[in-house]
Amino acid sequence: MPGEPMGGYVDRSQGVQDVLDPLEVHVVTFADDGHRFALVVVDLICVNADVVERTRAALRDVGVSSCWVAATHTHASPEAGCAPGGGVTPPHVGDRLVAASLAATRRAVAAERAARLTATRTLVSGLASRRNVVDPPPMDIPVDTITVTVGTDVVGLIVVSPVHPTILPAANNHVSADLTGGIRRALSAPDRWVVVATGAAGDISTRHTRQGHGPPEVDRLGARVADRFVPPPAPVGGGPAAPVRPPVSRSVRLRPKQPAELDASARPIPQVRNERIRRVLHQGLRIAREQAARQRSEPYEVEIAAVDLDGVTVVGVPGELFLELGEAIRTRAGGVVVLGYTNGYLGYLPARDTPPCYETFASPVSAGSGEIVVETAVEAALEAARDRRSRRNRA
């Protein structure tokens, strides 16, 4: 709505003025006779635990047994209460999200048909890199795609990009899905739908690879992802899809930063010439000082979840996991797909040995929390896959 605050940038001063491309809510449902799971992906900076619970309650009324809600983390969306440690969703944002999720779910349920899933990975060069490193080396960014096939026809794609959607700058006051919208448009076709979510993007962005800050650059980088995508062969065998089972959910308690970690004045600030990196470093220090003033002592409790969908295991993490930690989950759990910004928002989850940077300053949790999340996610993913294998053995 015109004038409402926008989220994503600490140094943003203006509210919404117009629309570059509409923000969207996508829902994909997976169902059998006993259980229906819904994945809701919304173009917002984050989803807090309060609106996740509201959405789950609303969707139960239309036959959804379990539900995940994920934000694309676009920085060109209305402010959604995105704060380190989690916040409260503004009522007008929450109301719109729940209503749109409910409408999209009704359409998804009505359109359900027998399908099979296949997960593939594409390495995309020139898309993004580690954002708070001066002159970072080139990276091949791993983009995961879950392809939905009916017979031999690809009818849908769920694409997971581990890249911050931050091509549009802090001065932008027009709402947009940013990079996720660019990827959606580039991959869309008349005979298939496309959902784009964000993965372990905590330290990855287009800061060093983008050639501009406007819609043409959004579409250029979106097309770069699409150009690398190759649809996988249709699943062999033609048998029925695996039964749908409830996600495996694990509650994990993470220690807030300790007094020594919150002593921002004692932290060595890296000396960098890059003005943007230097500015965000100081923004991170300001956030650390605000955390120190609050003196939180009780742990943060968050939900780490995994679900097996026709042999494709997906993990949901409620925060900004660094790419190396997302890759650790994938490697140890056997090729899973990792979603970030899912079922809540805690903030940055850097690795234990990450050098001082904006993300470590702004993170609300103690060093090593990222690794604890990895351990929990691997356990949940292995249990979800084990449950699927044991059902097949019994059959």
Side-chain angles (χ1 to χ4, degrees):
M1 297 178 64
E4 73 178 295
M6 294 184 71
Y9 291 105
V10 176
D11 49 357
R12 174 168 266 148
S13 59
Q14 292 184 318
V16 173
Q17 287 197 4
D18 210 335
V19 176
L20 277 180
D21 53 280
L23 303 181
E24 299 180 4
V25 174
H26 294 257
V27 178
V28 187
T29 56
F30 307 83
D32 61 14
D33 292 338
H35 194 90
R36 176 176 284 113
F37 170 76
L39 173 63
V40 180
V41 181
V42 54
D43 288 330
L44 279 178
I45 181 66
C46 76
V47 288
N48 281 308
D50 59 348
V51 80
V52 172
E53 290 308 313
R54 285 187 59 192
T55 303
R56 287 171 170 170
L59 267 53
R60 281 195 289 269
D61 292 339
V62 292
V64 171
S65 312
S66 58
C67 167
W68 288 6
V69 186
T72 62
H73 199 53
T74 173
H75 284 42
S77 81
E79 176 53 58
C82 193
V88 177
T89 306
H92 58 284
V93 174
D95 291 346
R96 298 203 301 268
L97 170 56
V98 173
S101 300
L102 190 56
T105 301
R106 287 194 174 105
R107 292 195 294 272
V109 170
E112 287 175 352
R113 50 183 169 160
R116 298 302 304 267
L117 307 183
T118 307
T120 56
R121 167 164 280 203
T122 303
L123 298 178
V124 184
S125 62
L127 174 63
S129 62
R130 302 195 188 280
R131 63 181 186 168
N132 280 337
V133 176
V134 178
D135 298 325
M139 287 184 67
D140 289 336
I141 298 299
V143 177
D144 292 315
T145 302
I146 301 172
T147 301
V148 182
T149 306
V150 173
T152 59
D153 297 326
V154 174
V155 300
L157 302 174
I158 303 172
V159 181
V160 182
S161 162
V163 180
H164 260 73
T166 51
I167 296 172
L168 302 173
N172 168 64
N173 53 21
H174 289 45
V175 298
S176 169
D178 205 294
L179 177 60
T180 51
I183 298 172
R184 280 199 305 251
R185 290 189 294 273
L187 281 168
S188 291
D191 56 350
R192 73 182 181 209
W193 47 262
V194 180
V195 176
V196 181
T198 303
D203 59 337
I204 305 296
S205 83
T206 64
R207 178 174 296 166
H208 302 288
T209 56
R210 60 194 174 220
Q211 299 173 6
H213 288 283
E217 184 64 6
V218 171
D219 289 335
R220 184 186 76 85
L221 290 177
R224 196 168 188 91
V225 175
D227 289 345
R228 295 288 297 162
F229 172 70
V230 177
V236 177
V244 177
R245 290 292 183 266
V248 173
S249 182
R250 291 283 180 271
S251 179
V252 60
R253 293 162 67 88
L254 300 175
R255 188 174 67 166
K257 278 182 175 172
Q258 300 303 289
E261 296 176 288
L262 286 167
D263 185 6
S265 62
R267 298 171 188 267
I269 302 176
Q271 298 300 310
V272 295
R273 291 189 298 272
N274 185 290
E275 181 182 353
R276 180 62 183 168
I277 294 178
R278 186 169 61 250
R279 188 183 311 136
V280 298
L281 277 172
H282 284 280
Q283 291 170 356
L285 286 171
R286 186 164 72 246
I287 294 170
R289 294 186 185 106
E290 292 169 355
Q291 293 174 4
R294 290 194 291 271
Q295 296 183 333
R296 181 184 176 101
S297 59
E298 64 272 21
Y300 294 99
E301 188 165 350
V302 295
E303 173 192 5
I304 311 296
V307 64
D308 186 84
L309 302 171
D310 195 25
V312 178
T313 303
V314 184
V315 170
V317 176
E320 307 203 40
L321 199 65
F322 272 33
L323 179 59
E324 66 181 275
L325 297 179
E327 291 298 278
I329 295 171
R330 175 182 169 84
T331 299
R332 293 175 53 189
V336 303
V337 176
V338 179
L339 294 180
Y341 315 94
T342 301
N343 298 333
Y345 181 79
L346 180 63
Y348 286 103
L349 295 164
R352 181 182 291 110
D353 57 355
T354 302
C357 59
Y358 170 79
E359 292 86 357
T360 60
F361 294 156
S363 174
V365 290
S366 187
S369 295
E371 283 79 0
I372 294 173
V373 168
V374 169
E375 294 294 331
T376 307
V378 170
E379 290 175 5
L382 291 176
E383 181 173 339
R386 186 164 54 244
D387 181 47
R388 179 239 310 163
R389 288 194 297 268
S390 65
R391 290 196 308 270
R392 286 183 175 176
N393 291 337
R394 288 196 299 271

